[in-house]
Amino acid sequence: MKQVRTALTIAGSDPSGGAGLQADLRTFRAMGVYGLGIPAALTAQNTAGVQHVHELPAGFVSEQIAVLVQDIRPDAVKTGMLYAADAVEAVAEKIREFSLENLVVDPVTVSSTGVLLMEDGVLEAVRRYLFPLSTVVTPNTYEASVLAGIDIRDERDLRDTAVKLLESGPRAVIITGGHLKGRAVDLLFDGEDFLSLESERLEGEYHGTGCVFSSSLAACLALGYDIKEAFAGAKDFTFRAMKSAITVGRGMKVLDI
Ligand code: PLP
């Protein structure tokens, strides 16, 4: 029988498919990994933006994880928009209870159209409960700056921020979406080395970039790559999917995954 690697996303639903759970599942598939998906929050959303967020009870998020994991143990897990602090705690508790490994935590805060994708205190809860369990955390420069309390203006601030975030317990930190001389820079710090990967900066608004980056990273970990290889694989996958982005609705372009 053919053996497949599996990855689980615990994230918000985006009915338009550009971001969230739906984009994560397509990313897993594109990378040759069998996708498992647990919605942690629902949104009424299209490519023009998020209209409304509907929370799910934290107990039901826990139940979905427990029921699934008793049957299939994922080779990697990614968390995205969890929306509420009690959902964050519930997810952390189950990840700990079932000793789930290769955890990628994407601390989702706000959509590119400015809609809040979390309640007050969620970023702090993610730092406190999920960061210590995670293999890699993938904040963008805004989220990293809020989490570390550092105003990021240059390359040095970016490095200081990564160092500070590592103190909260992840094995590695990747800060995405940095700017450097018109190039897009993502920075990894694993406690020993800094690794910065640059690509051409693509103009325009792309929907779901952070989701696709973190889920492709989780897929690479599920396939057995180490953190640095997974970083390179995710950066390459995301860049190529942005480069061939497609228009499916009246709003933002979505990544071609
Ligand atoms: N909806 C969901 C469920 C998400 O998880 C995210 C981002 O993580 C978004 C919307 C926002 O995506 P974007 O800011 O790329 O439009």
Side-chain angles (χ1 to χ4, degrees), residues 2-146:
K2 192 174 145 199
Q3 283 291 326
V4 286
R5 300 294 179 102
T6 59
L8 166 64
T9 172
I10 307 170
S13 159
D14 169 8
S16 66
L21 190 79
Q22 290 83 347
D24 293 344
L25 290 172
R26 293 207 317 287
T27 301
F28 292 158
R29 173 81 188 132
M31 301 204 75
V33 170
Y34 182 91
L36 309 161
I38 290 180
L42 307 178
T43 69
Q45 155 168 213
N46 58 32
T47 57
V50 178
Q51 293 292 319
H52 190 79
V53 176
H54 186 70
E55 234 178 284
L56 288 179
F60 185 62
V61 177
S62 290
E63 188 183 348
Q64 292 184 80
I65 300 172
V67 170
L68 175 69
V69 167
Q70 282 160 23
D71 179 29
I72 309 170
R73 261 193 86 77
D75 295 302
V77 181
K78 170 231 153 132
T79 64
M81 173 193 173
L82 301 175
Y83 190 72
D86 58 354
V88 172
E89 275 193 63
V91 168
E93 191 192 301
K94 288 295 160 207
I95 286 171
R96 204 187 284 276
E97 181 182 334
F98 293 102
S99 307
L100 299 181
E101 285 172 355
N102 290 326
L103 174 65
V104 175
V105 171
D106 186 17
V108 175
T109 50
V110 59
S111 77
S112 13
T113 51
V115 176
L116 274 182
L117 300 176
M118 53 157 198
E119 286 178 344
D120 270 2
V122 165
L123 210 47
E124 179 51 25
V126 168
R127 192 189 62 72
R128 181 151 166 217
Y129 298 107
L130 285 172
F131 275 28
L133 305 174
S134 59
T135 307
V136 191
V137 297
T138 63
N140 60 30
T141 41
Y142 166 74
E143 290 147 0
S145 162
V146 174

